[in-house]
Amino acid sequence: MTGTAIRIPKDTGALLFDLDGTLVDSMWVWSDIDRDYLAAHGIQTDENIQQLIGGISMRQTAVLLKDHFGIEDPIEKMMDDWNQMAMDRYLHEVSVKEGGRDLLAWARKKGLRTAIATSNSRALCEAALAGCGLLHAFDAVVTGDEIQNGKPAPDIYLHTAEKVGVPPQHCLVFEDLVDGILAAKAAGCRVIAVLDAVTEEDNEKKIRLADGAVSDFTELDLTG
């Protein structure tokens, strides 16, 4: 995208990855689920639901959509329904973004810590990682179930940095959403924006907020 490969800063001690739309190509799953779930409840909307919910946790999303659309189901049932709708696709249809496996192998070789920091549920995160053969590839996996305040609050990145034992200023975060970038920056991390096609309309803002941007992980310089 940039024409010049981006190098990982030399003082980086950990690579922290958002999951959906960043490490794995899965944002399409949620676009489908949002549409199908709302339609099943008799709700037809032209709103961009992904813009509405940003990078907040699944529970926060359920609360927001319940209030916004007047959905009668309890919060727990809403989340259970979404997990069931997504599980098979996460296990069998979600794939790692190009260059992602090479980046993880490079990080292991360099002795860098690696972690997932996702607003998604642990069940779906583990399903995606298992389906991609990466279930045991990370030093830590932090999900939206574990934090009180979702992105753009810094909580998830502060917690993940603590779990891998690396100060936030030495963590490099990969994120595809504006709220995720804001969360990582608020935590004191450096951020590389990953420009996912589903959120293409926000690319200019993501590039402006982040410390660098790539279309996929092949645009990183891993020769150092």
Side-chain angles (χ1 to χ4, degrees), residues 48-65:
N48 187 329
I49 302 304
Q50 291 300 317
Q51 288 285 351
L52 182 66
I53 62 179
I56 61 178
S57 70
M58 183 176 284
R59 181 173 296 277
Q60 289 174 307
T61 298
V63 171
L64 189 153
L65 293 186

Side-chain angles (χ1 to χ4, degrees), residues 94 115 121 126 135 216:
V94 164
S121 69
E126 291 185 351
L135 187 57
D216 59 48

Side-chain angles (χ1 to χ4, degrees), residues 79-97:
M79 294 192 298
D80 286 344
D81 288 347
W82 294 339
N83 276 319
Q84 291 175 21
M85 293 171 74
M87 185 61 70
D88 186 66
R89 279 173 269 198
Y90 267 71
L91 274 170
H92 303 295
E93 299 181 48
V94 164
S95 59
V96 180
K97 291 282 188 80

Side-chain angles (χ1 to χ4, degrees), residues 142-164:
V142 178
T143 67
D145 309 333
E146 301 173 45
I147 57 161
Q148 182 173 359
N149 301 305
K151 305 169 185 179
D155 302 33
I156 194 165
Y157 283 113
L158 291 171
H159 185 49
T160 305
E162 182 179 5
K163 287 196 76 170
V164 297

